[in-house]
Amino acid sequence: MRTPLRATSGGRVTSAGKTGRAGKVLLSGVLAICLAGAMAVPTLPAEAAKPKPPVIPSKAAVERAKQAAASKAAQVAAIERQLAAAAARLEQLGVQSGVADEAYNGAVYRLQQAKAEAAAAAARAAEAQKTLAAQRQQIGRFAAASYQGGGDVAKLAPLFTAEGPQELLDSAGTAHSVSSAMQGSYLRFTATEVMTNLFKVQADQAVVKVKKATDEAAKAKKAAEAAEAAQSAAVTAIGVQRKQSITQLATLQNISVQVAAQRQRGLEELARQRAAELAARKAAELKRRIAAREAAERRREAAEAAREAAEKAREQREEDQKQKQNSGKKNPPKRHKPTPPRDNDGGNDGGNDGTRKGAQAAIDFAMRQLGDMYLWGATGPSRWDCSGLTMGAWEQAGVQLPHYSVAQYEQIQHIDEDELRPGDLIFWSLDPDDPGTIHHVAMYLGNGRMIHAPRTGKPVQIDSVYYWEPPDFFGRP
């Protein structure tokens, strides 16, 4: 069946009309979207695309920055020098305090000597006065006897005048009448009178010396107290200064105070370790020198013993030869008592064994005081100064030392540094050529170590011999 033409034609027209309307709708949507996008994009000015010019400091600004950095570095260096100077100042005050303390000990020691001399002088004067009185009585008895025997009493009367017997002997007549016994009594009386007057003068001088020594001891005590007070005040003041300096360092270096303090402690500890390493090297060198000297001494003693043995053997052969020639018989050789062996330090074991035991007793006592705090003028039982500790230690070995480092050195055997043995004493002085300036003493323990009471604020402790300044004098009680 054919489709009518109109109907077919009308269908086509209808289809074409629907498609055209849809295209128009789609085109309108696209245009709307494009317009919306164009409205959303902002308009950029042309100059915004150019880069900003760099900030270039002026030469003056650069110079000011350099100066500020240099100033900051200079301030840091200055503060570090202040901290080092503060530590050195504390050490110096410690030395000055120790010197003042030992000066006081010396003043007390001289006062004790002056008092002993005064007592001895007074005793001599009193004894001479008693002898003089006894001799005067003897002359009086002789005069009484002479009177009873018909002597010239008038001529003997001057014996009891202010001028004494001299007036009597000035008279020629009396000189002829006095017997030889009377002459002897008078001469003894005259000599005793001279000595009595001399002893009185000495006693008076001793009293003056005691007064002077008392004044010097009082002055030395005040000086020691002032030195101790100065050190104590400095410890406090320098402690405050140290905290302030560390705070300034932290600000200048842009770090925390805690880190700055830690850094300062680290630097100081590093310096201490370096000093300890140097002291250890010196101590090792001392130990080597002591060992070398002892070895040389042993070789010398061995050679001497061999020489003595050879000499004795030669003498024995000669003696045997003489006896053989005289008797025609060979006598057995005489047995000689062997020479006791010597120890490393010379001498026989018997003698030095006692010395070594004494030294060990002194060391043991000193070691028991470890941790006891220093106190100037103290001799125990729980506080010590330097010479008080060594005096107390050697007292345990039966050796009496004075409480004064200078006098201790004067009263013991002087030795060289490489002769040191445990128990020996080590001394420091202001002048290494003058033992009269000694101001500190310690006890040698061996292996380059010592035990001592250092100074105020420090306990009895063990240190290297070279932890501080090198020692100047050495001695053996």
Side-chain angles (χ1 to χ4, degrees), residues 91-120:
E91 185 67 23
Q92 181 186 16
L93 287 171
V95 173
Q96 292 176 355
S97 176
V99 171
D101 295 348
E102 276 304 285
Y104 169 72
N105 288 339
V108 171
Y109 173 73
R110 288 187 290 273
L111 175 59
Q112 292 171 344
Q113 286 183 316
K115 287 182 176 179
E117 291 174 5

Side-chain angles (χ1 to χ4, degrees), residues 357-371:
K357 286 182 179 178
Q360 190 58 52
I363 292 172
D364 292 343
F365 178 87
M367 292 293 286
R368 289 196 295 272
Q369 316 315 314
L370 281 173

Side-chain angles (χ1 to χ4, degrees), residues 94-95 97-102 105 228 231 369 371-378 382-389 403 439-440 452-460:
V95 173
S97 176
V99 171
D101 295 348
E102 276 304 285
N105 288 339
E228 293 289 332
Q231 183 188 12
Q369 316 315 314
D372 288 354
M373 294 304 295
Y374 179 98
L375 177 64
W376 67 279
S382 60
R383 304 290 293 273
W384 309 88
D385 65 9
C386 65
S387 56
L389 178 64
H403 184 202
H439 60 84
H440 188 62
H452 65 145
R455 59 176 173 82
T456 298
K458 296 283 188 179
V460 174

